[in-house]
């Protein structure tokens, strides 16, 4: 497996296992999740992508149960997680609506909760999950720098940030933002033409792609021209459609 170096300390597997739907499986036992992790590690996929909101704020804890029982696993992996979405479910069920919170208090509380949930002393990479239109960049930047200085996180980045959101936050931080996780696939390819890819390439910022199979639509919408094209290419190279879709991104 190829590796991608984000900083002097952070070196990730080029393919990352996203745990967005970890709780969708009927079997969420420690043993079952441990098998998923082992399958990844056996293939050189050592980086795992979490978020506090995944599974209605329960996916981190499920993941953490595995680490608690298998403590040696933590040294074999890199953990990414995200914060700032407050949605009316799980621990925030009493909230009247969904919103984004990038206050210093919320970010620090979220990180502390993620550390506890995942039974780890540090998070390799923290991402702000969505741009917050009410973000106080000075306070948000200060909070992120403080978390890096404390050792609770090794690095910080963003998710779904537009170039202007990225530039604003970076201008208020001592540490470098390391990556932006954006939606990118054969069905969500606007970053090729709206300036997002160009901005990050210009500034030599590695990108992460979420939902590379378009949430499964690439595999299930069989009447589309994209599906038929993928099918033909996959047949030519004696492989499957998902492999071709991921190869296109890479």
């Amino acid at each position: 497996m190829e590796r991608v170096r984000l900083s002097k300390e952070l070196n990730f597997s080029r393919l990352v296992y996203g745990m967005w739907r970890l709780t969708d499986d009927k079997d969420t036992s420690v043993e079952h999740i441990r098998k998923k992790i082992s399958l990844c590690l056996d293939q050189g996929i050592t980086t795992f992508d979490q978020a506090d909101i995944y599974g209605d704020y329960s996916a981190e804890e499920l993941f953490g149960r595995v680490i608690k029982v298998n403590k040696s696993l933590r040294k074999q992996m890199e953990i990414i997680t995200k914060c700032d979405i407050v949605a009316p479910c799980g621990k925030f069920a009493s909230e009247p609506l969904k919103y984004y919170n990038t206050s210093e208090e919320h970010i620090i509380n979220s990180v502390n909760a993620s550390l506890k949930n995942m039974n780890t002393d540090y998070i390799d990479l923290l991402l702000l999950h969505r741009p917050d239109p009410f973000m106080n960049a000075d306070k948000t930047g200060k909070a992120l720098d403080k978390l890096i200085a404390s050792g609770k996180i090794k690095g910080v980045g963003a998710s779904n940030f537009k170039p202007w959101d990225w530039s604003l936050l970076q201008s208020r931080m001592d540490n470098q933002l390391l990556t932006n996780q954006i939606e990118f696939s054969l069905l969500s390819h606007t970053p090729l033409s709206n300036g997002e890819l160009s901005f990050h390439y210009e500034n030599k910022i590695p990108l992460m792609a979420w939902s590379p199979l378009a949430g499964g639509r690439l595999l299930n919408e069989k009447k589309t021209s994209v599906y038929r094209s993928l099918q033909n290419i996959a047949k030519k190279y004696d492989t499957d459609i998902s492999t071709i879709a991921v190869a296109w991104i890479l």
Side-chain angles (χ1 to χ4, degrees):
M1 175 64 63
E2 293 182 44
R3 308 286 297 179
V4 176
R5 183 166 292 283
L6 297 185
S7 69
K8 191 174 181 179
E9 280 194 299
L10 296 180
N11 185 23
F12 290 171
S13 55
R14 193 178 183 196
L15 295 182
V16 175
Y17 185 73
M19 310 193 91
W20 180 3
R21 293 187 170 89
L22 186 66
T23 60
D24 290 358
D25 201 320
K26 291 181 180 179
D27 187 351
T28 56
S29 66
V30 168
E31 293 76 18
H32 188 66
I33 297 174
R34 174 70 169 89
K35 287 179 182 178
K36 290 184 178 183
I37 293 171
S38 295
L39 281 171
C40 289
L41 295 176
D42 289 345
Q43 298 175 80
I45 299 173
T46 62
T47 306
F48 296 83
D49 179 76
Q50 274 280 4
D52 62 348
I53 194 175
Y54 287 176
D56 291 346
Y57 300 98
S58 67
E60 284 185 336
E61 187 176 356
L62 287 176
F63 184 56
R65 289 177 188 172
V66 180
I67 296 175
K68 184 176 182 178
V69 175
N70 306 269
K71 290 185 171 59
S72 62
L73 278 178
R74 183 63 184 97
K75 295 180 180 179
Q76 302 175 51
M77 62 172 62
E78 303 84 39
I79 296 176
I80 301 168
T81 198
K82 312 175 198 71
C83 70
D84 89 8
I85 299 178
V86 179
C89 59
K91 64 181 180 180
F92 293 116
S94 62
E95 293 289 337
L97 49 78
K98 177 183 175 182
Y99 62 96
Y100 308 125
N101 189 340
T102 52
S103 68
E104 180 175 358
E105 180 183 15
H106 181 80
I107 291 172
I108 290 175
N109 287 342
S110 294
V111 167
N112 288 335
S114 292
L115 292 170
K116 182 180 178 181
N117 287 336
M118 293 190 287
N119 285 289
T120 182
D121 296 327
Y122 66 94
I123 292 162
D124 293 280
L125 182 66
L126 176 72
L127 305 180
L128 292 185
H129 207 156
R130 294 276 176 176
D132 173 10
F134 296 107
M135 177 178 71
N136 182 320
D138 294 289
K139 293 184 178 180
T140 300
K142 178 182 177 182
L144 296 171
D145 282 331
K146 185 185 296 185
L147 284 167
I148 292 174
S150 72
K152 290 182 177 180
I153 63 175
K154 289 187 175 182
V156 67
S159 177
N160 303 295
F161 270 40
K162 298 300 183 186
W164 47 87
D165 301 311
W166 178 280
S167 296
L168 172 60
L169 181 58
Q170 185 62 84
S171 72
R172 302 301 200 275
M173 291 188 64
D174 296 328
N175 291 280
Q176 287 295 121
L177 294 170
L178 300 178
T179 187
N180 192 7
Q181 187 178 119
I182 62 173
E183 183 176 12
F184 190 56
S185 72
L186 278 163
L187 296 185
S188 298
H189 48 73
T190 52
L192 286 169
S193 56
N194 69 2
E196 288 183 77
L197 288 185
S198 297
F199 171 81
H200 289 88
Y201 285 149
E202 178 185 1
N203 291 283
K204 298 182 178 180
I205 301 160
L207 282 166
M208 296 179 69
W210 65 263
S211 206
L213 300 179
R217 286 186 294 133
L218 273 174
L219 309 180
N220 298 324
E221 296 179 358
K222 298 183 179 182
K223 294 183 179 181
T224 64
S225 60
V226 173
Y227 182 90
R228 289 194 293 271
S229 296
L230 283 169
Q231 195 174 40
N232 292 334
I233 297 169
K235 184 177 180 180
K236 177 181 178 181
Y237 290 99
D238 191 27
T239 187
D240 56 60
I241 288 174
S242 59
T243 298
I244 299 301
V246 172
W248 180 82
I249 294 175
L250 296 178

